[in-house]
Amino acid sequence: MAMAALVFHGAVALRSSLLPPLPALASPHLAPAMSLSLCHGIPPIVSGSLRTTKHKEKEMMDKDKDRKKTGVSWGCDPRSIENGTLLQDWLTNEGLAKQKLVLDRVESGGRGLVATQSLRQGERLLFVPSKFLISADSEWGCAETGKIIKEAGLPEWPTLAIFLISEASRGTTSPWFPYFVTLPKTPSSILQWTEDEVNIWLTASPVREKALECIRDVTETYRDLRATIFSKHPDVFPSQVYTLEAFKWAFGILFSRLVRLPSLGKLALVPWADMLNHSPQVDAFLDFDQSNGKSVVFVTDRAYQPGEQVFISYGKRPSGELLLAYGFIPSEFNAHDYVELEMGLDNEDPSYDAKLTALEEHGLSSPQRFPVRKDGFPAQLLAYARLISSRVSNPAQLSLMARAATEAKATANDTADVEAILSAEEETDAYERVLAVCENSIAEYTSFLEANEESDDEATDIVDSSARLSRTRMLRQLAVDLCKNEQRILFRLQYILRTDLRGLRTLPGTESMSGGAKGKAKRANGGLFNLFKWNIDILEK
């Protein structure tokens, strides 16, 4: 689990639109098992019982109990450091500078890079030569595989996924063998979850839909590749190697390790550097240094003592996105956390069609999601709620309200103009609508958290193997941690909204004011909304 600046959103919209028309090796000395194709040693198939989920869902567990899941035969346990020496020796022999870091077991992340000596703030580390970068233009060990993929014109992500499978399946014949034996056999990304597990454990979180979309899109991309490329070249892409499980493994590696190197302008895997773990408290990033030996480096943003784990940042990512890409929730405070609230038009609204037209005119939809952070909610969320609450049907006024719900198109005067249109009752109703959505979401989190406070003894009654129980505990804890983080944000929003609503409802002498005038009086009298609202571009992905 390690990387910096992952371009995760670029991996979600996969499917056929990206396609053109058309180990656990017991010893590093083990050779490929057989030679059944042009380039591949077909690894032995590794089977095991499908791990099931929440103990309450006994019916689902009974259904899946006899299913088998095929895995990949390369890689290692995610906590293993035994092959770290092999990797570092290989890199050193090939030109890696002497390191001030060593791979070791760590409390957070399973394994990570630890300082071997005192490191000062601002120190440059790593210096991984460019020849070790794995990118879409890397040289293929199997020339025939590379030729077919290049002629197909695939984008970077599927190209890199196929490259990883191709090289990993070659075992010791691949020049990248010392790297592949250090990669986790089971990456921690959401791709290792079943859809049943996602639906059970992420049921209370908006992250659930993104998780399902990610799993389904990667699956659809694999099926498209199998239909358009793999099946047409079975000798080059043997079905025993290019399985859905192998494809999910490869994308799991890309999700958790692929970095964008700004100075180089490309996406790449960086062996050794990708052993660094993330901290939301750190502001150090990987980049490519053109002037210093053309290598990947990073600059420490704090001092480290010998034996301390050294961290980088994977970007300003909320805990939900870290769970999807990397399979963990930060234990420390994450200032980048947010939770999405969904609002939509009232189907019974007489002006429903006119309002929907106004929203679509400005690139919005019904329903629409808005991110809420720990320090408050975006101005666009309230603007959207005002549109829902308004009783106007004038297309120009509705268009103005929709415009105010988009930071990209709104002007400084849009909010004031919308407030002037609304009555005090409509303004109050807008706040109440946001509060209702917030409190409904809080209730869903509460229900989930209360249902998952059961003891491990209760879980043992249903889960019939230690491995399955361990996985159940892990998934439950990840889900509980995520839900607690998101619920805390909503509790804060609830407090802000209730305080502002009290101001709207109880200010003396404002009964006859317009919504805008009453809002201004309320905020001048100490309302919280202006202290916490912030602008976002909800159209930016």
Side-chain angles (χ1 to χ4, degrees):
M1 175 186 64
M3 72 153 263
L6 168 73
V7 190
F8 181 69
H9 293 299
V12 175
L14 301 170
R15 306 208 174 195
S16 58
S17 61
L18 285 190
L19 301 177
L22 309 169
L25 295 177
S27 161
H29 303 294
L30 283 179
M34 308 183 267
S35 295
L36 299 181
S37 70
L38 295 178
C39 302
H40 299 273
I42 307 300
I45 300 299
V46 180
S47 299
S49 298
L50 178 68
R51 293 167 175 172
T52 53
T53 56
K54 190 176 181 183
H55 73 271
K56 288 182 179 179
E57 306 296 330
K58 189 174 186 305
E59 181 178 348
M60 184 199 77
M61 294 181 63
D62 290 341
K63 177 182 70 175
D64 288 343
K65 185 169 59 176
D66 297 325
R67 291 172 59 193
K68 301 293 181 181
K69 183 176 180 180
T70 301
V72 298
S73 66
W74 48 80
C76 64
D77 182 278
R79 294 184 58 87
S80 172
I81 63 170
E82 281 69 28
N83 292 328
T85 301
L86 177 66
L87 173 63
Q88 192 168 9
D89 287 348
W90 170 62
L91 293 169
T92 300
N93 291 338
E94 295 294 326
L96 180 68
K98 184 177 180 180
Q99 297 292 292
K100 298 179 181 179
L101 305 169
V102 65
L103 183 65
D104 204 352
R105 289 190 177 89
V106 294
E107 184 176 348
S108 62
R111 59 182 180 174
L113 295 185
V114 173
T116 58
Q117 62 190 74
S118 296
L119 301 175
R120 66 184 184 278
Q121 181 179 353
E123 187 154 358
R124 296 164 67 82
L125 298 172
L126 295 181
F127 299 99
V128 180
S130 58
K131 66 180 179 180
F132 291 120
L133 304 186
I134 297 177
S135 63
D137 54 7
S138 291
E139 183 177 351
W140 293 69
C142 177
E144 184 65 17
T145 305
K147 178 183 177 183
I148 292 171
I149 297 304
K150 289 177 181 178
E151 289 178 351
L154 298 181
E156 283 179 294
W157 281 80
T159 294
L160 282 166
I162 296 169
F163 182 90
L164 289 177
I165 298 171
S166 175
E167 290 301 314
S169 65
R170 295 177 63 217
T172 56
T173 64
S174 170
W176 301 101
F177 174 77
Y179 175 55
F180 286 118
V181 295
T182 65
L183 294 178
K185 184 181 181 68
T186 306
S188 298
S189 81
I190 200 67
L191 296 178
Q192 300 304 315
W193 295 41
T194 66
E195 289 194 14
D196 283 334
E197 288 171 339
V198 170
N199 284 322
I200 289 170
W201 296 113
L202 300 181
T203 182
S205 173
V207 169
R208 170 182 165 274
E209 291 185 18
K210 295 179 180 178
L212 291 173
E213 181 183 11
C214 180
I215 294 171
R216 291 168 183 170
D217 285 350
V218 169
T219 300
E220 287 300 314
T221 298
Y222 166 75
R223 290 172 179 166
D224 288 339
L225 288 169
R226 184 179 61 186
T228 59
I229 296 178
F230 299 163
S231 63
K232 295 180 179 179
H233 306 278
D235 291 339
V236 180
F237 303 98
S239 59
Q240 302 96 320
V241 173
Y242 291 87
T243 63
L244 175 58
E245 289 72 26
F247 203 68
K248 286 184 175 180
W249 170 84
F251 263 88
I253 294 299
L254 297 179
F255 281 2
S256 59
R257 292 177 132 74
L258 193 63
V259 301
R260 181 177 294 281
L261 300 169
S263 298
L264 197 58
K266 68 165 59 177
L267 297 171
L269 293 168
V270 188
W272 188 247
D274 62 4
M275 296 296 176
L276 286 161
N277 287 320
H278 167 80
S279 170
Q281 310 296 329
V282 167
D283 197 29
F285 302 89
L286 295 180
D287 200 0
F288 189 77
D289 188 343
Q290 296 276 14
S291 62
N292 198 334
K294 294 188 176 181
S295 58
V296 174
V297 301
F298 82 100
V299 181
T300 59
D301 66 342
R302 48 154 288 194
Y304 292 91
Q305 297 301 313
E308 276 192 280
Q309 182 179 185
V310 177
F311 294 97
I312 58 171
S313 172
Y314 296 172
K316 298 179 179 180
R317 305 186 180 280
S319 296
E321 189 172 316
L322 292 172
L323 174 62
L324 294 181
Y326 310 100
F328 74 92
I329 302 294
S331 57
E332 64 267 52
F333 173 76
N334 184 2
H336 312 300
D337 269 341
Y338 67 79
V339 58
E340 291 183 330
L341 282 187
E342 182 175 281
M343 299 198 72
L345 298 175
D346 183 352
N347 291 331
E348 304 301 321
D349 189 333
S351 300
Y352 176 88
D353 290 337
K355 289 181 178 180
L356 182 59
T357 298
L359 288 173
E360 292 175 344
E361 175 188 343
H362 294 284
L364 300 175
S365 63
S366 178
Q368 182 76 47
R369 287 190 168 186
F370 297 85
V372 177
R373 299 189 185 277
K374 294 182 179 181
D375 56 356
F377 61 106
Q380 290 74 31
L381 172 58
L382 183 59
Y384 193 95
R386 285 172 172 150
L387 173 64
I388 297 173
S389 301
S390 72
R391 297 186 181 92
V392 303
S393 57
N394 181 289
Q397 290 180 323
L398 292 176
S399 179
L400 176 62
M401 293 182 184
R403 179 188 178 93
T406 68
E407 196 277 333
K409 296 183 179 180
T411 66
N413 296 323
D414 281 342
T415 297
D417 291 342
V418 169
E419 288 179 339
I421 295 172
L422 297 177
S423 68
E425 184 179 355
E426 290 170 316
E427 177 78 358
T428 301
D429 183 56
Y431 275 85
E432 288 175 339
R433 286 177 182 269
V434 178
L435 179 61
V437 172
C438 173
E439 292 185 334
N440 286 340
S441 187
I442 288 175
E444 291 181 10
Y445 283 114
T446 299
S447 177
F448 174 82
L449 292 171
E450 288 177 349
N452 284 280
E453 289 177 349
E454 64 271 77
S455 67
D456 289 334
D457 291 339
E458 291 175 305
T460 306
D461 294 338
I462 301 297
V463 183
D464 55 7
S465 74
S466 59
R468 191 173 296 168
L469 177 57
S470 176
R471 178 170 177 81
T472 299
R473 285 172 173 164
M474 177 192 72
L475 297 182
R476 177 191 298 153
Q477 191 60 56
L478 286 170
V480 166
D481 289 345
L482 177 65
C483 285
K484 285 181 176 179
N485 283 355
E486 293 179 343
Q487 188 185 49
R488 279 193 288 267
I489 295 173
L490 294 179
F491 277 134
R492 181 61 172 160
L493 174 60
Q494 181 188 49
Y495 171 74
I496 296 170
L497 291 169
R498 285 180 173 179
T499 301
D500 276 4
L501 273 168
R502 282 196 296 271
L504 283 170
R505 291 166 178 159
T506 62
L507 280 175
T510 60
E511 290 80 3
S512 61
M513 289 183 178
S514 69
K518 189 169 185 178
K520 289 185 180 72
K522 181 263 304 180
R523 290 191 283 275
N525 223 6
L528 290 178
F529 175 68
N530 259 5
L531 297 178
F532 292 97
K533 73 176 180 179
W534 46 277
N535 288 313
I536 55 162
D537 182 351
I538 59 174
L539 302 180
E540 181 180 358
K541 297 296 182 185

